[in-house]
Amino acid sequence: MSCPLVDYGFGVLVRALLSVWDKSGLVPFAQGLANLGIELISSGGTSAALAAAGIPHRSVDEVTGAPEMLDGRVKTLHPTIHGAILADRSKPEHLAELASRDIGLIDLVVCNLYPFESNPSIELIDVGGPTMVRAAAKNLASVAVIVDPVDYEVVLAELQSLRNVSARTKLRLAQAAFHHTASYDARIASWFDGLVALEETGTETTEAASIIAPTISLDLHLSQTLRYGENPHQIGARYRIVGEKGWPDSLIQHQGKELSYLNLFDTDAAWRLVHDLGHEAAAVVMKHANPCGAATARTLSAAYRRAHEGDPVSAFGGVVALNRRMDAETAELLVGVFTEVVIAPGYEADALEVLAAKKQMRVLEALPPSSSKRHFRSIDGGLLMQSPDRVGESDEGWTVVSKAQPDEATRRDLAFAWRLCSHVSSNAIVVCAESQAVGIGAGQQSRVDAARIAVSKAGDRSRGAVGASDAFFPFRDGLDVLAEAGLRAIIEPGGSVRDDEVIAAADEFGLALVFTGRRHFRH
């Protein structure tokens, strides 16, 4: 692969074109250029900003001899501008052609694009800006291009010392420029995906049509370089999808060590689950992206205490998520347990004082998780994509298939168990009592083994509890394990060829069995 790290050395930088949407740092940078005797060309709002600051410059229409037209849609799209940017200065014939048309070279292009995602519309689709940026980046051997105000300082420093921009800096700036235009185009393409889906279906609620497109343009920006990945020998980083707002983008870290790859992964799982447990105060304890404790209660401290009691051994070194502003009482309970991360929507001042005793504990504050319409997972050579799995809060679609009928309290417990189970790795079995997880069997190849683990962790608490299975029982043996442990009701999707055997087993034990008609695998 050839590298265009070349500088033809055609002397000093003499002319710059400035046309930016983001005007932060513009005036001092432009003044610095003018102080070096560099001629400035500008248009539109950028020209107005320079004029207001008293910085001398020429307007684009003065240079081209062609006034802006079509309500500003055509300003810089002119041979006088693009010839000045694109000329190959190693070719005498290019330079001669410019001279014959009285076109002067442009050595620096400063341009960034409209924030399309702020108000997606046809009018915010920039044409001239991306064209200039791409032209300057293509001609990086002779032209420097700036798309980010953060680069003003380094470019100005090089101009002051070299009277030009170094070849290495031009290469880096060109890289940033093409990422800038690619990012911009990706956001526009995603907007058009939605328009096409709406046109074809006539509704925004047809999920398959709205998320599946022949091409998906993902605009990913580096947000954080992590110490390492899942293990110390792996490289790790966090990227965000531009145009989407996830809870990490709202994150406030009050104290503690830097977040690791697994901290973020486990915290995301905990934060999603705690917001899916209903409207009461809720707490979740997460280990390795699986809950080991979860509960709701009338107070936050009670919810946390009950969540921790679900599996206090596994809670060691876990991630705790709370759906209420943390108070001092809850904080006092929390500091008694080694916890890697705690996340909540807010903290009372006295709660933060209590937590400060655990200086290594990462204390996070964030907005609720977003509702992304697409979930991605990497595989070799590409990605898998699906719509998110949602359980919902109602019992619509539930069918009681046993002779025993669940009473209202049992149905509430079943609803809690069902929501919890959908967040546990498959095969998953959970045992719950009065909106508290007392036993969780996660990630097992055999469903009956998941049931054995769940009741083993629950112990005597299985008596009178309820259970949930994320998928149907292929044989009655899994239900037998739960029933023999003393459960009074079980909820599962149904749909097995042996459903009749499973229902018969439930009737033998006199427990209530509810089919939901929907599976919740999680891998």
Side-chain angles (χ1 to χ4, degrees), residues 47-395:
S47 177
L50 297 183
I55 299 174
H57 64 283
R58 299 177 68 194
S59 65
V60 166
D61 55 4
E62 180 185 351
V63 172
T64 62
E68 292 183 11
M69 58 185 295
L70 305 180
D71 296 322
R73 286 190 174 194
V74 178
K75 290 182 283 191
T76 58
L77 295 170
H78 193 281
T80 300
I81 298 298
H82 287 278
I85 296 172
L86 280 168
D88 185 341
R89 302 179 191 192
S90 68
K91 296 181 177 180
E93 62 271 26
H94 278 206
L95 300 178
E97 189 171 356
L98 291 188
S100 70
R101 300 185 183 213
D102 195 24
I103 296 175
L105 295 169
I106 291 175
D107 311 286
L108 172 65
V109 172
V110 183
C111 180
N112 52 64
L113 309 175
Y114 304 152
F116 182 78
E117 68 279 8
S118 66
N119 182 26
S121 66
I122 292 297
E123 288 307 316
L124 277 186
I125 298 176
D126 195 343
V127 176
T131 306
M132 282 195 301
V133 169
R134 290 175 60 85
K138 173 177 178 173
N139 204 20
L140 76 158
S142 301
V143 179
V145 57
I146 302 177
V147 295
D148 190 337
V150 75
D151 289 314
Y152 290 167
E153 185 177 351
V154 66
V155 169
L156 194 57
E158 288 192 2
L159 288 171
Q160 289 167 344
S161 61
L162 306 174
R163 200 55 203 275
N164 209 325
V165 182
S166 69
R168 187 169 298 279
T169 298
K170 286 176 182 174
L171 179 61
R172 182 182 62 79
L173 294 174
Q175 175 197 32
F178 279 115
H179 277 296
H180 188 59
T181 57
S183 170
Y184 188 72
D185 286 343
R187 281 170 267 171
I188 296 171
S190 295
W191 181 63
F192 271 96
D193 287 344
L195 292 181
V196 171
L198 179 60
E199 178 67 23
E200 290 180 351
T201 64
T203 174
E204 294 180 356
T205 59
T206 304
E207 196 168 23
S210 68
I211 71 167
I212 297 177
T215 301
I216 295 176
S217 299
L218 287 179
D219 182 16
L220 301 173
H221 283 199
L222 178 66
S223 291
Q224 187 176 1
T225 300
L226 305 173
R227 286 178 295 163
Y228 50 79
E230 287 183 282
N231 300 289
H233 63 275
Q234 294 174 268
I235 296 171
R238 177 174 70 87
Y239 286 78
R240 69 178 183 89
I241 300 176
V242 175
E244 295 192 13
K245 294 291 186 182
W247 66 263
D249 300 313
S250 69
L251 187 64
I252 298 172
Q253 183 165 351
H254 291 283
Q255 68 172 55
K257 296 186 293 184
E258 180 184 354
L259 289 166
S260 71
Y261 179 101
L262 288 177
N263 290 152
L264 286 163
F265 190 79
D266 290 342
T267 302
D268 183 68
W271 198 227
R272 290 179 181 279
L273 171 55
V274 81
H275 282 87
D276 205 19
L277 289 182
H279 301 293
E280 278 195 298
V284 167
V285 184
M286 191 73 63
K287 281 289 287 289
H288 306 299
N290 273 301
C292 57
T296 62
R298 287 189 295 177
T299 67
L300 190 64
S301 59
Y304 170 69
R305 177 179 50 78
R306 300 181 78 225
H308 179 261
E309 288 172 350
D311 188 350
V313 173
S314 298
F316 181 86
V319 170
V320 172
L322 309 167
N323 71 345
R324 295 285 191 276
R325 188 177 181 86
M326 184 189 282
D327 52 29
E329 184 179 357
T330 307
E332 292 284 1
L333 294 172
L334 194 67
V335 296
V337 181
F338 172 56
T339 300
E340 290 278 4
V341 180
V342 58
I343 184 169
Y347 296 84
E348 301 294 345
D350 51 0
L352 289 174
E353 290 178 8
V354 172
L355 296 174
K358 296 291 185 178
K359 297 186 184 302
Q360 301 300 311
M361 182 190 295
R362 301 159 178 89
V363 177
L364 311 181
E365 180 178 333
L367 294 174
S370 63
S371 300
S372 175
K373 68 178 182 178
R374 295 184 178 105
H375 283 180
F376 295 95
R377 179 172 291 178
S378 62
I379 60 171
D380 190 24
L383 300 172
L384 296 175
M385 186 275 290
Q386 64 177 347
S387 61
D389 184 24
R390 297 187 177 94
V391 175
E393 297 184 10
S394 72
D395 57 5

Side-chain angles (χ1 to χ4, degrees), residues 12-35:
V12 298
L13 188 151
V14 296
R15 261 203 331 172
L17 173 61
L18 290 73
S19 180
V20 295
W21 176 271
D22 179 0
K23 296 177 178 59
S24 56
L26 170 67
V27 168
F29 179 64
Q31 187 63 67
L33 296 179
N35 291 344

